[in-house]
Amino acid sequence: MDLTQFMPVFGNFAFMILAFVVALSVIVAIHEYGHYIVARWCGIHADVFSLGFGPVIYQRTDARGTVWQVAALPLGGYVKFLGDANAASVGSDGSVDAADARRTMAGAPLWARTLTVAAGPVFNFILAIAIFTGSIMYQGRVADPFTIGDIRPLPAQFQSDLRAGDVLLSVEGIVFSDPERQVPLLDLLPVQERLTYQITREGRSMAVEGPYPMPPLISALAPRSAADNAGLRIGDVITAVDGDPIFGFPQLQDKVISAQGAPLNLTIWRGGQDLDVTLSPRITDEPQPDGGFAQTYRIGIVGDLMFTPQTETVGLIAAGRLGAEGLWNTATTSLSALRHIIIGQISTCNLSGPVGIAETSGSMARQGTQSFIWFIGALSAAVGLINLFPIPVLDGGHLMFYAYEAVTRRKPSDRAVQVFMFIGLALILTMMSFTILNDTILCR
C-alpha cells in the first residue's frame, strides 16, 4: 500500500486542526484575559491563568503571584481566583483567612464580581468590533466616482476593452453614479453576453464593449458548502452548467435553483485550464431583511464584479461605527436563527458544534488570512453572546445568581448553586453531543 496517497487527506486534517486551535486560542485568551484584568482592577487576585486544560506544557509566575500556563488540551481556558474551590469559581477551598477575604471572588463586593464575570463576554465583543473595524479600514470603501482598479483574471470569453483607471459612468444606460448601490444596479441590467460600457478615460468619454459585469466568478466560499466540499476555489470561473454556457452570475443562480437539489455538472476555468466538477445544491436557510428566514437552493459561493473598484480610506470613527454595526448584526442574526430553530421554522442543521467549527476554521483559513481573521471576529462575537445565556456554568449563569443576590440581598445557598450548576452542565453537554451528531452524521 502506498502511504503517500493519504498525505493530502492528512495534510488537510492537520491544517484544519491547526486553524481551529489558533482561532479558539485567540478567542479564549481574550475572554479569560477580560476576566483576569477586570478582576485585578477590582481587587480580586488570580492564582492561575490557564490557556488550555490538562497537563501543563509551560508556566511562569509573575510578580503578583499569578501562575500563567499553557496546557496540553487547547479546548478552552480558565482563571482560578484566590480561594476558589475550582476553575468555575463555585465555592471556596477554605484556605483564605479573613484578612484576605476581600481579594477572593467569594468575598468581593457584588459589583466587583459582576464586572469580573461580565468582562469575559465584553472582551469578546471588543475583539469582534476591533477585527471588523480593522477589516473595513484595510479594505476601504468604493471610491466616488466609480473607478476601475485591477481587471480580474478571466477566460477569453469574458475579456473586455475596459482598463484600470477608467471611470465607469453607465452600463447599457444604467448609471453607476452611487458606488454603494453597485450590486442593486446590476439587477436592472440585461443578462447577456456583451454589453456597452460608457466610460471616461484620460478625460475623454467613450463607449467600449464588455461582458456582464458580474461573471460566474467565485470571490468567496461558504464553509462546508457543496462548492467548498467539491474543492472549488476562490478565483474559479464557472463557464458552463450541464453543458450550457453561462456568462452571468444570475444565470448560475437560476440553474442552481431550478435543479432543486439534483446534481449539476460544472465546467470550471482555473488559471487557464478547464475542469469538470459535479455537485448537488443544498437547501439553505437565508436571513431576510425582516428578520425571518427563507429556504432556497445554494451551492455556497459568492460572486463579484469582473474588476476590483478603486477604494478610498475609511476613517477610524466611521470604520468603528461600521464595526459595531457588524457585531450587532452578527448577534441579532444569531439570536433570530436560534429562535427560528427552537420554534421549528428552520433546520437544526444550522447549529454547529466543535467539529463544524473546526471544519469552518480550516475552510476560512484556506481562503486567506483576511477571511480567517474576519472569521475569528465573527466567532468571538458568537462566543461572547453564548456566554451571556443565563445557563449555570456559563458567565450568564453566574450573572443570574448575582441578579438574585442583588434583588434578595442574600446569596443563593451553596446547595442550590451546585444543583443548578449540575443542570447547566448537563444541558451544555447534551447540546454539545447533539451538535457533534449534527456535524458528523445528521447534516452531512
Side-chain angles (χ1 to χ4, degrees):
M1 180 181 294
D2 183 7
L3 295 179
T4 60
Q5 63 183 308
F6 296 105
M7 289 301 292
V9 175
F10 176 78
N12 287 337
F13 178 77
F15 183 79
M16 177 189 73
I17 296 301
L18 177 62
F20 177 57
V21 169
V22 170
L24 188 62
S25 296
V26 170
I27 291 167
V28 168
I30 290 295
H31 181 96
E32 298 302 333
Y33 186 77
H35 290 315
Y36 163 79
I37 193 63
V38 172
R40 202 177 90 187
W41 293 340
C42 293
I44 300 171
H45 177 71
D47 281 340
V48 179
F49 183 109
S50 180
L51 187 60
F53 300 100
V56 176
I57 299 173
Y58 166 83
Q59 69 176 203
R60 71 174 183 86
T61 303
D62 66 15
R64 293 183 175 84
T66 300
V67 176
W68 297 77
Q69 66 183 36
V70 178
L73 299 176
L75 299 177
Y78 62 88
V79 178
K80 185 177 181 296
F81 296 105
L82 177 67
D84 285 351
N86 49 58
S89 296
V90 177
S92 173
D93 62 7
S95 64
V96 180
D97 56 29
D100 281 333
R102 172 58 181 82
R103 301 174 66 226
T104 68
M105 274 291 281
L110 178 60
W111 64 266
R113 286 178 279 141
T114 300
L115 290 178
T116 297
V117 170
V122 168
F123 270 54
N124 280 134
F125 295 150
I126 292 172
L127 174 63
I129 292 175
I131 288 176
F132 294 158
T133 299
S135 296
I136 292 166
M137 295 182 70
Y138 177 78
Q139 293 174 352
R141 60 186 169 199
V142 177
D144 190 10
F146 193 102
T147 305
I148 295 174
D150 295 328
I151 307 295
R152 300 183 191 276
L154 295 169
Q157 62 268 39
F158 293 95
Q159 298 303 310
S160 72
D161 296 324
L162 295 170
R163 300 179 188 174
D166 290 346
V167 176
L168 181 59
L169 304 178
S170 66
V171 184
E172 291 293 318
I174 305 300
V175 178
F176 271 56
S177 60
D178 184 351
E180 301 301 325
R181 295 182 60 238
Q182 54 176 307
V183 174
L185 287 171
L186 293 176
D187 296 336
L188 303 176
L189 292 176
V191 184
Q192 57 192 44
E193 193 167 0
R194 305 299 290 180
L195 299 173
T196 300
Y197 289 73
Q198 193 69 34
I199 64 169
T200 299
R201 178 181 296 167
E202 297 177 351
R204 295 185 300 113
S205 295
M206 63 179 68
V208 298
E209 292 290 309
Y212 185 78
M214 183 176 282
L217 164 75
I218 300 177
S219 66
L221 287 160
R224 307 169 66 211
S225 64
D228 188 25
N229 293 342
L232 298 188
R233 302 177 187 173
I234 293 175
D236 287 351
V237 180
I238 301 172
T239 58
V241 178
D242 291 334
D244 298 329
I246 59 173
F247 41 83
F249 199 84
Q251 288 176 302
L252 176 61
Q253 291 176 309
D254 292 342
K255 291 279 190 181
V256 169
I257 294 173
S258 62
Q260 293 293 293
L264 293 173
N265 298 311
L266 308 181
T267 302
I268 307 296
W269 180 89
R270 178 182 295 169
Q273 295 183 334
D274 289 330
L275 308 171
D276 293 322
V277 174
T278 300
L279 52 76
S280 298
R282 301 173 185 171
I283 291 181
T284 304
D285 296 301
E286 293 189 341
Q288 303 299 301
D290 63 359
F293 285 79
Q295 287 191 336
T296 188
Y297 282 95
R298 293 284 187 254
I299 61 173
I301 68 173
V302 178
D304 209 339
L305 298 173
M306 63 179 177
F307 48 78
T308 58
Q310 288 188 5
T311 59
E312 58 188 17
T313 303
V314 180
L316 178 60
I317 294 177
R321 176 178 56 81
L322 293 173
E325 289 179 3
L327 171 65
W328 176 257
N329 291 335
T330 299
T332 54
T333 300
S334 299
L335 290 174
S336 176
L338 182 60
R339 181 175 69 86
H340 282 80
I341 290 172
I342 292 173
I343 63 180
Q345 290 190 353
I346 63 174
S347 171
T348 56
C349 289
N350 289 283
L351 287 174
S352 289
V355 175
I357 295 172
E359 291 177 340
T360 301
S361 300
S363 176
M364 297 302 287
R366 282 191 295 272
Q367 293 185 42
T369 303
Q370 187 175 343
S371 295
F372 183 58
I373 292 175
W374 182 90
F375 167 72
I376 291 176
L379 186 59
S380 182
V383 168
L385 181 65
I386 291 171
N387 266 280
L388 287 178
F389 287 179
I391 300 174
V393 178
L394 300 180
D395 293 329
H398 287 280
L399 294 175
M400 180 177 63
F401 292 141
Y402 297 159
Y404 171 86
E405 182 179 345
V407 171
T408 64
R409 302 296 181 182
R410 59 187 177 88
K411 295 181 179 180
S413 68
D414 290 343
R415 175 62 178 168
V417 171
Q418 291 173 358
V419 169
F420 279 115
M421 284 291 182
F422 177 81
I423 294 173
L425 181 60
L427 180 60
I428 294 297
L429 291 177
T430 299
M431 287 299 300
M432 184 175 294
S433 299
F434 177 74
T435 56
I436 291 174
L437 192 64
N438 255 1
D439 293 337
T440 56
I441 298 175
L442 298 179
C443 300
R444 284 293 182 182

